Amino acid sequence: MDWIWAEILTLSILAVYCLKTFLAHALVWRRLRKNNKAPPLNTELPSISIIMPVRGLDQEAEENFMSFVQSGYPAPFEVIFSVEEREDPAVPLIQRLIANCQTPARVRLIFGKRQDQRELGKTVNLMAGVKESRYEVLVFSDSDVRNAPGFLEH
């Protein structure tokens, strides 16, 4: 008979613990759901310079480049493709993209120059892009990255 009281006590403690856990989860879920609203977008988006160091042609490079050029970003923006060598296979693609560009974005191709062979090409290209940029807000992207809708706004 003593063991029945031990079982009842154990089950009561377990029931209280489960109820407490359920209530804690419900309160946390309620608070997270309440705070899950996205913050409003700033109505005055900054002008941005998108700098893309390029070396060679990545898979789907044209689509990736176009996703930034045709991003629909509502504030002024520019896309700077920075390449180290004029013989790079990406240069004709970028030149064709610039020639066919019908967006308000300023799209430019620049060439970075290494001062020393120990310098990394990507770093040289990034620095050249920063020097040529017109806007204070800089967005860096590799050529194998595709811009998702709304990414630049957020």
Side-chain angles (χ1 to χ4, degrees):
M1 200 75 160
D2 289 334
W3 58 274
I4 292 178
W5 290 110
E7 278 185 14
I8 292 174
L9 180 62
T10 302
L11 289 175
S12 298
I13 292 172
L14 187 59
V16 169
Y17 177 75
C18 287
L19 182 61
K20 181 180 168 187
T21 302
F22 172 77
L23 289 174
H25 282 264
L27 289 173
V28 168
W29 178 79
R30 184 176 167 197
R31 177 164 297 219
L32 289 176
R33 188 170 176 221
K34 184 177 165 183
N35 293 336
N36 197 20
K37 296 176 186 166
L41 288 177
N42 184 354
T43 56
E44 292 190 32
L45 293 170
S47 301
I48 60 173
S49 295
I50 303 165
I51 300 170
M52 298 186 76
V54 179
R55 182 173 184 157
L57 279 174
D58 294 316
Q59 272 188 326
E60 301 178 348
E62 186 169 7
E63 292 84 2
N64 296 341
F65 295 163
M66 289 301 291
S67 72
F68 283 95
V69 172
Q70 296 178 339
S71 69
Y73 185 72
F77 72 99
E78 66 180 345
V79 180
I80 301 171
F81 295 100
S82 183
V83 182
E84 188 175 351
E85 300 168 353
R86 293 185 184 277
E87 299 81 27
D88 192 290
V91 170
L93 172 65
I94 296 169
Q95 289 173 332
R96 189 171 64 248
L97 185 139
I98 292 170
N100 296 332
C101 184
Q102 298 175 359
T103 64
R106 298 188 62 125
V107 182
R108 294 186 283 152
L109 171 62
I110 62 168
F111 296 94
K113 293 183 182 179
R114 286 189 197 197
Q115 303 299 323
D116 186 344
Q117 287 299 343
R118 295 175 290 180
E119 294 178 331
L120 296 174
K122 184 178 272 192
T123 305
V124 170
N125 288 341
L126 286 172
M127 292 184 333
V130 169
K131 280 184 186 177
E132 292 291 321
S133 65
R134 290 187 167 88
Y135 305 117
E136 290 183 22
V137 177
L138 305 176
V139 176
F140 299 104
S141 178
D142 276 334
S143 59
D144 62 347
V145 174
R146 189 165 301 174
N147 181 26
F151 169 73
L152 295 173
E153 288 86 344
H154 288 286

